[in-house]
Amino acid sequence: MKRTFTIIALLSLLIPAMTKAQYAISDTIRTERIVVKSAQFGISLQNNLDTYLSNYNYKGAGIHFNHENFRDARTGNYRWKYQVLFNSRIGYNLQESNMQLAGIIGCSWSGYHPFRIGKRVQLLAGAQIQLEGGALYNPSNSNNPVSAKLRTALAASGMAIYRFPVFKDEWTARYQLDIPIIGVMFAPEFGQSYYEISLGHTKGIVSCAYPINSPSWRHMLSLDIPLHIKQRNTTLRLSYIADLYQSNINHIRCHMYHHAFTFGFVKTIFKIKRENNLKAYSPY
């Protein structure tokens, strides 16, 4: 009886330990099962010119929101990384006593092939599909107060990711460059009002955009900093985004220079099987 009691007591101690060991945290995981989501808010500085509305530059500030979904995936025998990026901004701009409101929403889908250099540096090269829409509004204009913005493009995209130790943690710095190569955009001619377009005068309102008549690019620089809050692994992301758009189509010059400084948090979702282990912080 005493021996039976001793065996039961030992089993009651071993079973929880064995169960806990199945979920031990380590640095190994099948990376194609990791999804990284981030949400960021910040302020932006804007400089807009659209000769459809006015020949003056409008400068001001606004609010920027950015959401990213970044994941690894395995396709055949090759490893790929995919990104879905959503951003929106609202701005209030001035030119002397004249006011301009700006609102832009954009989304992009990207696919990359990684090239690892050593243990800490990773380069990614791929393609991106961009879709963007919005409007500039000048209430002081009587005839054409609104300039609509709608474009889509195929862009070349690349990233450089660097992981480096800081004290006992590992920080991640990332730089991303997107350059539109070819696309189409809504571009009415100078003096062609939206009222005329609504009546069916739509000839020439859709134009091809390429680096000669629409040289544009986007820079994104981010830093991921691990935080230890209440024994939880939380990652803070600080970013600088420069979205520089230009066009000279149908005798209308336009530029929208946007500089945003944002902060937010990163959430890592582990799509794992039971036998796999977890990985802390960023899967980059």
Side-chain angles (χ1 to χ4, degrees), residues 132-148:
E132 188 174 84
L136 301 179
Y137 174 62
N138 285 20
S140 59
N141 288 12
S142 57
N143 293 330
N144 296 327
V146 177
S147 176

Side-chain angles (χ1 to χ4, degrees), residues 50-224:
D50 191 330
T51 57
Y52 182 84
L53 298 175
S54 172
N55 291 321
Y56 297 104
N57 283 337
Y58 284 78
K59 300 179 181 180
I63 301 174
H64 182 96
F65 171 75
N66 187 70
H67 183 273
E68 181 189 16
N69 187 321
F70 189 88
R71 65 184 179 92
D72 293 342
R74 184 183 296 277
T75 304
N77 296 325
Y78 300 93
R79 188 173 300 279
W80 294 87
K81 295 179 183 291
Y82 300 100
Q83 179 197 59
V84 178
L85 186 64
F86 171 84
N87 62 82
S88 63
R89 59 183 185 267
I90 299 175
Y92 178 85
N93 308 313
L94 293 173
Q95 199 287 318
E96 294 182 353
S97 60
N98 296 322
M99 179 188 68
Q100 181 192 80
L101 299 178
I104 301 294
I105 297 176
C107 189
S108 62
W109 299 264
S110 309
Y112 302 95
H113 191 284
F115 303 90
R116 188 168 294 277
I117 302 176
K119 295 182 179 180
R120 299 193 177 277
V121 179
Q122 188 174 186
L123 302 179
L124 286 76
Q128 182 181 84
I129 298 175
Q130 299 179 345
L131 179 62
E132 188 174 84
L136 301 179
Y137 174 62
N138 285 20
S140 59
N141 288 12
S142 57
N143 293 330
N144 296 327
V146 177
S147 176
K149 302 298 177 184
L150 181 62
R151 68 181 183 91
T152 182
L154 176 64
S157 182
M159 289 189 195
I161 301 172
Y162 176 55
R163 300 171 61 184
F164 57 98
V166 177
F167 300 109
K168 296 182 180 180
D169 292 320
E170 192 170 62
W171 294 18
T172 302
R174 182 179 60 162
Y175 173 74
Q176 180 174 343
L177 174 63
D178 307 323
I179 302 178
I181 303 300
I182 188 70
V184 294
M185 61 178 292
F186 175 73
E189 294 184 356
F190 183 80
Q192 185 179 12
S193 67
Y194 293 157
Y195 176 73
E196 294 177 355
I197 295 174
S198 67
L199 296 178
H201 302 163
T202 59
K203 184 179 179 180
I205 65 172
V206 177
S207 299
C208 181
Y210 48 93
I212 301 300
N213 63 5
S214 182
S216 306
W217 56 91
R218 177 173 58 194
H219 303 267
M220 291 193 297
L221 180 64
S222 65
L223 179 64
D224 290 359

